[in-house]
Amino acid sequence: DIQMTQSPSSLSASVGDRVTITCQASQDITNYLNWYQQKPGKAPKLLIYDVANLETGIPSRFSGSGSGTDFTFTISSLQPEDFATYYCQQYGSPPYTFGQGTKLEIK
Amino acid sequence: QVQLQQSGPGLVEPSQTLSLTCAISGDSISRNSVTWNWIRQSPSRGLEWLGRTHYRSKWSSDYAISVRGRIIIKPDTSKNQFSLQLNSVTPEDTAVYYCARTDIVVAFDYWGQGTLVTVSS
């Protein structure tokens, strides 16, 4: 299985901050990388697919980049509703695996 | 608007079978570009993809190695829904189970509401 390693596992930030999360794959997954947001008691929500494509309705403050094994997710200016847990997910080859999550908390 | 509505018991005894159903509205289970998936989440295992079913001229399913041999995911075209059966469950199968869709890209764009399944006697 392809292992996805996210860092950091948790992050404290303030409204208006720029935050970056990284995700590293254990092997080359080209651009087969998605990002999700999950709030307590809710299902994950797709934010970005294929590294950098925003899902419909997702604000442009969210962005992604990378290729191969190293990927980055950025929120350019944190809003109150962005405090949540974020996951990367690869589909380079099944089984489709997720990172362990990054919990973004209010400072 | 696509909606996935899950149903099934929240408590299963060890060694028994976990059974959940995901009813689809706003889409057709047989549409060629979609897949229908089950994913679970637990504190110890995180988010874990379990398997999927899809129609490409015929129905097929494929499963994660971690549960292969214990799992069946199958469609019910008459009701536009699909199901999960996980056999011989142990307490390690305790998790929130989600159904989810992909369409063209393997990104899970619609999810069910989640069902907490506890394996306990």
Side-chain angles (χ1 to χ4, degrees):
Chain A
D1 298 3
I2 298 175
Q3 306 303 315
M4 305 300 292
T5 303
Q6 272 182 249
S7 62
S9 55
S10 64
L11 176 59
S12 294
S14 301
V15 172
D17 284 354
R18 178 184 180 91
V19 299
T20 297
I21 298 168
T22 64
C23 183
Q24 185 171 60
S26 59
Q27 62 190 74
D28 189 340
I29 56 171
T30 61
N31 67 329
Y32 299 140
L33 192 282
N34 307 318
W35 291 95
Y36 299 83
Q37 175 193 70
Q38 187 178 32
K39 295 184 177 179
K42 299 293 188 182
K45 176 182 179 180
L46 177 64
L47 300 178
I48 291 174
Y49 63 93
D50 287 353
V51 175
N53 295 287
L54 283 178
E55 178 71 345
T56 302
I58 301 303
S60 59
R61 64 180 181 273
F62 295 99
S63 64
S65 64
S67 66
T69 61
D70 295 299
F71 303 89
T72 299
F73 171 81
T74 299
I75 308 173
S76 61
S77 179
L78 271 173
Q79 299 303 300
E81 61 268 29
D82 299 339
F83 292 94
T85 301
Y86 293 85
Y87 296 92
C88 59
Q89 172 246 322
Q90 67 81 22
Y91 67 102
S93 66
Y96 307 120
T97 48
F98 293 81
Q100 80 279 15
T102 296
K103 187 173 184 179
L104 181 52
E105 298 175 306
I106 302 173
K107 185 182 286 184
Chain B
Q1 176 74 349
V2 176
Q3 291 188 320
L4 304 180
Q5 180 67 40
Q6 298 177 217
S7 59
L11 180 64
V12 181
E13 292 189 356
S15 80
Q16 299 302 301
T17 297
L18 181 161
S19 296
L20 296 173
T21 298
C22 183
I24 304 160
S25 58
D27 200 355
S28 169
I29 193 171
S30 304
R31 193 161 59 84
N32 256 293
S33 62
V34 295
T35 74
W36 304 99
N37 301 259
W38 287 98
I39 295 163
R40 67 183 178 183
Q41 184 174 30
S42 65
S44 59
R45 303 172 75 99
L47 284 161
E48 180 184 18
W49 177 80
L50 299 177
R52 64 183 180 177
T53 191
H54 54 95
Y55 184 78
R56 303 286 185 271
S57 305
K58 65 176 183 177
W59 284 99
S60 62
S61 300
D62 51 288
Y63 307 118
I65 291 174
S66 61
V67 291
R68 199 169 294 167
R70 295 199 296 135
I71 188 172
I72 299 173
I73 297 175
K74 60 183 181 182
D76 182 343
T77 57
S78 66
K79 295 182 179 179
N80 206 40
Q81 65 186 31
F82 64 107
S83 62
L84 167 68
Q85 288 183 39
L86 186 64
N87 301 320
S88 305
V89 296
T90 72
E92 282 209 349
D93 294 310
T94 294
V96 177
Y97 286 75
Y98 294 101
C99 57
R101 185 193 85 161
T102 73
D103 188 1
I104 304 175
V105 175
V106 184
F108 304 105
D109 58 356
Y110 288 96
W111 296 66
Q113 79 274 23
T115 302
L116 172 60
V117 179
T118 302
V119 179
S120 175
S121 53

PDB file of all heavy atoms in Angstrom, chain A residues 9-29:
ATOM      1  N   SER A   9       0.936  17.170  12.407  1.00  0.00           N
ATOM      2  CA  SER A   9      -0.289  16.465  12.801  1.00  0.00           C
ATOM      3  C   SER A   9      -1.287  17.431  13.438  1.00  0.00           C
ATOM      4  O   SER A   9      -2.493  17.173  13.437  1.00  0.00           O
ATOM      5  CB  SER A   9       0.031  15.319  13.757  1.00  0.00           C
ATOM      6  OG  SER A   9       0.746  15.803  14.863  1.00  0.00           O
ATOM      7  N   SER A  10      -0.784  18.530  13.989  1.00  0.00           N
ATOM      8  CA  SER A  10      -1.663  19.574  14.497  1.00  0.00           C
ATOM      9  C   SER A  10      -0.992  20.922  14.317  1.00  0.00           C
ATOM     10  O   SER A  10       0.248  21.006  14.208  1.00  0.00           O
ATOM     11  CB  SER A  10      -2.019  19.330  15.965  1.00  0.00           C
ATOM     12  OG  SER A  10      -0.874  19.412  16.766  1.00  0.00           O
ATOM     13  N   LEU A  11      -1.815  21.954  14.318  1.00  0.00           N
ATOM     14  CA  LEU A  11      -1.324  23.283  13.983  1.00  0.00           C
ATOM     15  C   LEU A  11      -2.241  24.307  14.642  1.00  0.00           C
ATOM     16  O   LEU A  11      -3.466  24.194  14.522  1.00  0.00           O
ATOM     17  CB  LEU A  11      -1.349  23.432  12.465  1.00  0.00           C
ATOM     18  CG  LEU A  11      -0.988  24.731  11.788  1.00  0.00           C
ATOM     19  CD1 LEU A  11       0.421  25.154  12.151  1.00  0.00           C
ATOM     20  CD2 LEU A  11      -1.123  24.573  10.283  1.00  0.00           C
ATOM     21  N   SER A  12      -1.671  25.260  15.341  1.00  0.00           N
ATOM     22  CA  SER A  12      -2.442  26.365  15.917  1.00  0.00           C
ATOM     23  C   SER A  12      -2.192  27.624  15.110  1.00  0.00           C
ATOM     24  O   SER A  12      -1.035  27.958  14.822  1.00  0.00           O
ATOM     25  CB  SER A  12      -2.034  26.604  17.372  1.00  0.00           C
ATOM     26  OG  SER A  12      -2.382  25.510  18.172  1.00  0.00           O
ATOM     27  N   ALA A  13      -3.257  28.309  14.746  1.00  0.00           N
ATOM     28  CA  ALA A  13      -3.119  29.511  13.934  1.00  0.00           C
ATOM     29  C   ALA A  13      -4.256  30.478  14.245  1.00  0.00           C
ATOM     30  O   ALA A  13      -5.241  30.109  14.902  1.00  0.00           O
ATOM     31  CB  ALA A  13      -3.108  29.149  12.455  1.00  0.00           C
ATOM     32  N   SER A  14      -4.120  31.687  13.762  1.00  0.00           N
ATOM     33  CA  SER A  14      -5.112  32.730  14.004  1.00  0.00           C
ATOM     34  C   SER A  14      -5.848  33.081  12.714  1.00  0.00           C
ATOM     35  O   SER A  14      -5.339  32.852  11.606  1.00  0.00           O
ATOM     36  CB  SER A  14      -4.421  33.985  14.545  1.00  0.00           C
ATOM     37  OG  SER A  14      -3.732  33.705  15.736  1.00  0.00           O
ATOM     38  N   VAL A  15      -7.028  33.650  12.868  1.00  0.00           N
ATOM     39  CA  VAL A  15      -7.783  34.142  11.714  1.00  0.00           C
ATOM     40  C   VAL A  15      -6.905  35.132  10.941  1.00  0.00           C
ATOM     41  O   VAL A  15      -6.256  35.993  11.533  1.00  0.00           O
ATOM     42  CB  VAL A  15      -9.095  34.801  12.163  1.00  0.00           C
ATOM     43  CG1 VAL A  15      -9.791  35.481  10.992  1.00  0.00           C
ATOM     44  CG2 VAL A  15     -10.017  33.771  12.799  1.00  0.00           C
ATOM     45  N   GLY A  16      -6.871  34.938   9.628  1.00  0.00           N
ATOM     46  CA  GLY A  16      -6.049  35.771   8.767  1.00  0.00           C
ATOM     47  C   GLY A  16      -4.687  35.202   8.447  1.00  0.00           C
ATOM     48  O   GLY A  16      -4.023  35.669   7.510  1.00  0.00           O
ATOM     49  N   ASP A  17      -4.243  34.204   9.202  1.00  0.00           N
ATOM     50  CA  ASP A  17      -2.937  33.587   8.947  1.00  0.00           C
ATOM     51  C   ASP A  17      -2.937  32.793   7.646  1.00  0.00           C
ATOM     52  O   ASP A  17      -3.974  32.320   7.189  1.00  0.00           O
ATOM     53  CB  ASP A  17      -2.548  32.638  10.085  1.00  0.00           C
ATOM     54  CG  ASP A  17      -2.078  33.347  11.331  1.00  0.00           C
ATOM     55  OD1 ASP A  17      -1.931  34.588  11.294  1.00  0.00           O
ATOM     56  OD2 ASP A  17      -1.848  32.654  12.348  1.00  0.00           O
ATOM     57  N   ARG A  18      -1.742  32.627   7.117  1.00  0.00           N
ATOM     58  CA  ARG A  18      -1.519  31.714   5.999  1.00  0.00           C
ATOM     59  C   ARG A  18      -0.977  30.418   6.588  1.00  0.00           C
ATOM     60  O   ARG A  18      -0.033  30.453   7.391  1.00  0.00           O
ATOM     61  CB  ARG A  18      -0.500  32.314   5.037  1.00  0.00           C
ATOM     62  CG  ARG A  18      -0.141  31.452   3.845  1.00  0.00           C
ATOM     63  CD  ARG A  18       0.948  32.134   3.027  1.00  0.00           C
ATOM     64  NE  ARG A  18       1.343  31.365   1.862  1.00  0.00           N
ATOM     65  CZ  ARG A  18       0.784  31.507   0.670  1.00  0.00           C
ATOM     66  NH1 ARG A  18      -0.191  32.391   0.485  1.00  0.00           N
ATOM     67  NH2 ARG A  18       1.204  30.777  -0.356  1.00  0.00           N
ATOM     68  N   VAL A  19      -1.570  29.302   6.217  1.00  0.00           N
ATOM     69  CA  VAL A  19      -1.119  28.016   6.748  1.00  0.00           C
ATOM     70  C   VAL A  19      -0.839  27.048   5.607  1.00  0.00           C
ATOM     71  O   VAL A  19      -1.499  27.092   4.570  1.00  0.00           O
ATOM     72  CB  VAL A  19      -2.121  27.398   7.741  1.00  0.00           C
ATOM     73  CG1 VAL A  19      -2.330  28.305   8.938  1.00  0.00           C
ATOM     74  CG2 VAL A  19      -3.421  27.061   7.079  1.00  0.00           C
ATOM     75  N   THR A  20       0.137  26.180   5.856  1.00  0.00           N
ATOM     76  CA  THR A  20       0.542  25.199   4.862  1.00  0.00           C
ATOM     77  C   THR A  20       0.659  23.834   5.518  1.00  0.00           C
ATOM     78  O   THR A  20       1.219  23.695   6.616  1.00  0.00           O
ATOM     79  CB  THR A  20       1.885  25.593   4.235  1.00  0.00           C
ATOM     80  OG1 THR A  20       1.729  26.836   3.547  1.00  0.00           O
ATOM     81  CG2 THR A  20       2.354  24.532   3.247  1.00  0.00           C
ATOM     82  N   ILE A  21       0.124  22.841   4.839  1.00  0.00           N
ATOM     83  CA  ILE A  21       0.201  21.435   5.271  1.00  0.00           C
ATOM     84  C   ILE A  21       0.897  20.673   4.157  1.00  0.00           C
ATOM     85  O   ILE A  21       0.646  20.913   2.970  1.00  0.00           O
ATOM     86  CB  ILE A  21      -1.216  20.870   5.503  1.00  0.00           C
ATOM     87  CG1 ILE A  21      -1.919  21.647   6.628  1.00  0.00           C
ATOM     88  CG2 ILE A  21      -1.155  19.387   5.835  1.00  0.00           C
ATOM     89  CD1 ILE A  21      -3.411  21.351   6.737  1.00  0.00           C
ATOM     90  N   THR A  22       1.766  19.740   4.557  1.00  0.00           N
ATOM     91  CA  THR A  22       2.435  18.937   3.544  1.00  0.00           C
ATOM     92  C   THR A  22       1.991  17.484   3.630  1.00  0.00           C
ATOM     93  O   THR A  22       1.581  16.998   4.688  1.00  0.00           O
ATOM     94  CB  THR A  22       3.965  19.026   3.672  1.00  0.00           C
ATOM     95  OG1 THR A  22       4.359  18.466   4.929  1.00  0.00           O
ATOM     96  CG2 THR A  22       4.427  20.467   3.577  1.00  0.00           C
ATOM     97  N   CYS A  23       2.113  16.809   2.522  1.00  0.00           N
ATOM     98  CA  CYS A  23       1.745  15.400   2.412  1.00  0.00           C
ATOM     99  C   CYS A  23       2.793  14.727   1.538  1.00  0.00           C
ATOM    100  O   CYS A  23       3.092  15.214   0.435  1.00  0.00           O
ATOM    101  CB  CYS A  23       0.351  15.287   1.797  1.00  0.00           C
ATOM    102  SG  CYS A  23      -0.293  13.607   1.680  1.00  0.00           S
ATOM    103  N   GLN A  24       3.369  13.655   2.056  1.00  0.00           N
ATOM    104  CA  GLN A  24       4.394  12.932   1.303  1.00  0.00           C
ATOM    105  C   GLN A  24       3.930  11.502   1.058  1.00  0.00           C
ATOM    106  O   GLN A  24       3.525  10.800   1.994  1.00  0.00           O
ATOM    107  CB  GLN A  24       5.715  12.935   2.060  1.00  0.00           C
ATOM    108  CG  GLN A  24       6.870  12.313   1.279  1.00  0.00           C
ATOM    109  CD  GLN A  24       8.198  12.538   1.962  1.00  0.00           C
ATOM    110  OE1 GLN A  24       8.400  12.114   3.097  1.00  0.00           O
ATOM    111  NE2 GLN A  24       9.104  13.212   1.264  1.00  0.00           N
ATOM    112  N   ALA A  25       4.020  11.076  -0.206  1.00  0.00           N
ATOM    113  CA  ALA A  25       3.653   9.710  -0.578  1.00  0.00           C
ATOM    114  C   ALA A  25       4.877   8.815  -0.543  1.00  0.00           C
ATOM    115  O   ALA A  25       5.993   9.255  -0.839  1.00  0.00           O
ATOM    116  CB  ALA A  25       3.041   9.704  -1.965  1.00  0.00           C
ATOM    117  N   SER A  26       4.674   7.532  -0.211  1.00  0.00           N
ATOM    118  CA  SER A  26       5.792   6.593  -0.121  1.00  0.00           C
ATOM    119  C   SER A  26       6.309   6.164  -1.492  1.00  0.00           C
ATOM    120  O   SER A  26       7.372   5.538  -1.590  1.00  0.00           O
ATOM    121  CB  SER A  26       5.380   5.361   0.701  1.00  0.00           C
ATOM    122  OG  SER A  26       4.275   4.721   0.091  1.00  0.00           O
ATOM    123  N   GLN A  27       5.566   6.482  -2.549  1.00  0.00           N
ATOM    124  CA  GLN A  27       6.042   6.267  -3.913  1.00  0.00           C
ATOM    125  C   GLN A  27       5.370   7.269  -4.835  1.00  0.00           C
ATOM    126  O   GLN A  27       4.406   7.937  -4.438  1.00  0.00           O
ATOM    127  CB  GLN A  27       5.798   4.833  -4.376  1.00  0.00           C
ATOM    128  CG  GLN A  27       4.350   4.415  -4.430  1.00  0.00           C
ATOM    129  CD  GLN A  27       4.204   2.920  -4.663  1.00  0.00           C
ATOM    130  OE1 GLN A  27       4.436   2.100  -3.769  1.00  0.00           O
ATOM    131  NE2 GLN A  27       3.818   2.558  -5.877  1.00  0.00           N
ATOM    132  N   ASP A  28       5.866   7.354  -6.047  1.00  0.00           N
ATOM    133  CA  ASP A  28       5.371   8.333  -7.012  1.00  0.00           C
ATOM    134  C   ASP A  28       3.891   8.112  -7.324  1.00  0.00           C
ATOM    135  O   ASP A  28       3.502   7.008  -7.735  1.00  0.00           O
ATOM    136  CB  ASP A  28       6.211   8.224  -8.289  1.00  0.00           C
ATOM    137  CG  ASP A  28       5.947   9.333  -9.281  1.00  0.00           C
ATOM    138  OD1 ASP A  28       4.873   9.986  -9.198  1.00  0.00           O
ATOM    139  OD2 ASP A  28       6.799   9.556 -10.153  1.00  0.00           O
ATOM    140  N   ILE A  29       3.082   9.152  -7.112  1.00  0.00           N
ATOM    141  CA  ILE A  29       1.658   9.079  -7.440  1.00  0.00           C
ATOM    142  C   ILE A  29       1.292  10.125  -8.502  1.00  0.00           C
ATOM    143  O   ILE A  29       0.123  10.480  -8.660  1.00  0.00           O
ATOM    144  CB  ILE A  29       0.759   9.247  -6.183  1.00  0.00           C
ATOM    145  CG1 ILE A  29       1.063  10.562  -5.460  1.00  0.00           C
ATOM    146  CG2 ILE A  29       0.920   8.053  -5.251  1.00  0.00           C
ATOM    147  CD1 ILE A  29       0.060  10.885  -4.351  1.00  0.00           C
TER     148      ILE A  29
END
